[in-house]
């Protein structure tokens, strides 16, 4: 059994290096291109190797050499999978790299947990039920390979779509605020001075009338930003996979600007709660305008490169956002 423990320690280090250290998609342009099916098959090989490790503990007559052979097969597959990913994707931008390496890392962590549990010295009496659960986790994580984006365009589209969901959550939070529930400024001061200890447990936010005017002016901004995000997702999906480095950089710029837009939206939403800082609100307003301008400029340039016409849906939603920001600017001065 000690040989199995030693083999397990070495396997853990190899798996960690191959799958968990964020360098899976290094340059592989000289390698033979691989079809997507190759990635799925490599993941399936990992699943079967993990299952064989569990079978070793289930069979009291199994030889240690057989378990070590299963570990070796698992190690080989864990090295092959990222190499096949690099050969398949060839040129990967940051969004695609993040998606692939996130998937590989989650597989690696599941494999490491299984190997450590199986090879721990105290596991001479096999905890087969626990190992079966860990094998199930490995299978689940390996299935994520089937859901990887097929190319840079798909990866960037997915990333922006997730940001749109987060933006929708902020918009929903703003909608839940009761815009009729305000207090006079004098009431706020009295509450601050004369509150009891029990009042400290009341976290309900009370808006003054001036704060609420700004809040009401800002609400359309969030709905408009959701529309812009959706327009961006549609614009990205309608284009082809970037054929040049310039096209890929334009899509990556749009994705980065979308992230800035999302972060600024979250900051604006938090800043609308009293006490409001008008200078901070102005800064978030400017950040949102700059981010949407950067994103739409990048997507417009990309459309010109791949010969597409004007993005009418995106342009309409951007115009709505700009109008909403102007209204907010009038409220905050």
């Amino acid at each position: 059994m000690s040989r199995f423990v030693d083999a397990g320690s070495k396997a853990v280090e190899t798996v960690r290096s191959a799958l968990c250290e964020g360098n899976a998609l290094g340059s592989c342009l000289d390698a033979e291109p691989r079809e997507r099916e190759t990635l799925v098959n490599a993941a399936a090989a990992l699943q079967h190797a993990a299952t064989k490790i569990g079978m070793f503990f289930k069979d009291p007559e199994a030889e240690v050499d057989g378990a070590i052979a299963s570990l070796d097969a698992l190690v080989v597959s864990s090295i092959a999978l990222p190499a096949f990913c690099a050969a398949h994707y060839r040129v990967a931008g940051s969004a695609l790299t993040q998606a692939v390496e996130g998937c590989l890392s989650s597989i690696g962590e599941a494999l490491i947990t299984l190997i450590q549990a199986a090879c721990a010295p105290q596991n001479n009496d096999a905890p087969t039920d626990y190992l079966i659960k860990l094998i199930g986790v490995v299978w689940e994580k390996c299935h994520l390979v089937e859901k990887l984006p097929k190319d840079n365009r798909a990866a960037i589209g997915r990333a922006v779509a997730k940001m749109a969901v987060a933006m929708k959550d902020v918009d929903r939070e703003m909608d839940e605020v009761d815009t009729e529930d305000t207090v006079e400024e004098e009431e706020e001061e009295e509450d601050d001075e004369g509150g009891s200890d029990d009042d400290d447990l009341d976290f309900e936010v009370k808006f003054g009338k001036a704060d609420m005017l700004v809040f009401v002016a800002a609400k359309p901004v969030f709905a408009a930003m959701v529309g812009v995000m959706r327009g961006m997702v549609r614009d990205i999906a309608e284009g082809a996979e970037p054929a040049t480095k310039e096209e890929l950089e334009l899509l990556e710029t749009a994705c980065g600007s979308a992230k800035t837009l999302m972060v600024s939206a979250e900051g604006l939403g938090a800043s609308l709660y009293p006490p409001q800082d008008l200078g901070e609100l102005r800064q978030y307003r400017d950040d949102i305008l700059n981010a949407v301008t950067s994103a739409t400029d990048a997507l417009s340039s990309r459309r010109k490169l791949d010969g597409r016409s004007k993005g009418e849906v995106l342009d309409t939603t951007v115009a709505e956002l700009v109008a909403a920001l102007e209204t907010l600017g009038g409220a905050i001065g």
Side-chain angles (χ1 to χ4, degrees), residues 85-328:
C85 286
H88 173 66
Y89 288 111
R90 310 289 280 178
V91 178
S94 60
L96 180 56
T97 297
Q98 184 176 357
V100 174
E101 292 188 344
C103 173
L104 295 179
S105 180
S106 66
I107 293 173
E109 293 298 337
L111 288 171
I112 288 171
T113 301
L114 170 63
I115 296 168
Q116 289 176 333
C119 299
Q122 64 269 28
N123 281 352
N124 291 325
D125 295 324
T128 53
D129 291 343
Y130 179 53
L131 288 180
I132 289 172
K133 289 180 181 179
L134 295 182
I135 292 168
V137 174
V138 170
W139 275 69
E140 177 185 347
K141 298 300 182 183
C142 286
H143 279 308
L144 295 177
V145 171
E146 301 170 12
K147 300 177 182 179
L148 283 172
K150 70 174 185 177
D151 52 28
N152 286 286
R153 182 193 59 159
I156 292 170
R158 283 190 195 181
V160 177
K162 288 180 181 179
M163 296 175 203
V165 172
M167 191 84 74
K168 183 62 179 176
D169 289 340
V170 177
D171 182 41
R172 187 178 297 111
E173 179 186 339
M174 297 298 105
D175 280 340
E176 291 173 354
V177 174
D178 184 359
T179 56
E180 302 297 327
D181 187 15
T182 62
V183 296
E184 299 294 339
E185 302 300 328
E186 292 79 5
E187 286 183 55
E188 290 185 292
E189 293 176 4
E190 291 174 6
D191 289 343
D192 289 341
E193 293 174 2
S196 66
D197 291 339
D198 291 338
D199 292 335
D200 292 337
L201 301 177
D202 184 5
F203 297 104
E204 184 179 358
V205 177
K206 295 292 185 180
F207 285 81
K209 288 187 175 180
D211 290 337
M212 185 54 76
L213 286 173
V214 173
F215 185 93
V216 171
K219 283 187 68 174
V221 172
F222 297 98
M225 282 192 286
V226 173
V228 168
M229 284 288 199
R230 288 173 175 169
M232 288 179 63
V233 172
R234 178 171 176 172
D235 194 271
I236 291 167
E238 288 176 347
E241 170 68 0
T244 65
K245 182 179 179 181
E246 181 182 4
E247 288 183 53
L248 178 56
E249 288 176 349
L250 287 170
L251 278 184
E252 294 284 355
T253 296
C255 185
S257 297
K259 184 174 182 179
T260 300
L261 188 63
M262 181 189 69
V263 171
S264 298
E266 292 173 342
L268 176 63
S271 298
L272 286 170
Y273 290 96
Q276 293 175 350
D277 182 331
L278 296 184
E280 188 175 46
L281 290 171
R282 292 188 194 98
Q283 184 60 59
Y284 280 124
R285 174 191 174 278
D286 292 345
D287 290 345
I288 290 170
L289 183 58
N290 291 336
V292 76
T293 300
S294 174
T296 53
D297 285 350
L299 291 176
S300 176
S301 296
R302 185 216 176 198
R303 285 197 300 271
K304 292 177 182 177
L305 288 175
D306 62 16
R308 285 185 296 134
S309 59
K310 193 174 182 180
E312 294 181 1
V313 173
L314 181 58
D315 290 345
T316 298
T317 58
V318 169
E320 292 171 353
L321 175 56
V322 170
L325 289 171
E326 289 176 354
T327 300
L328 174 59

Side-chain angles (χ1 to χ4, degrees), residues 18-19 23-26 28 39 42 77-87 100 104:
L19 298 174
N23 57 1
L25 293 187
C28 198
L39 313 186
S77 295
S78 69
I79 294 172
L81 178 58
F84 290 156
C85 286
V100 174
L104 295 179

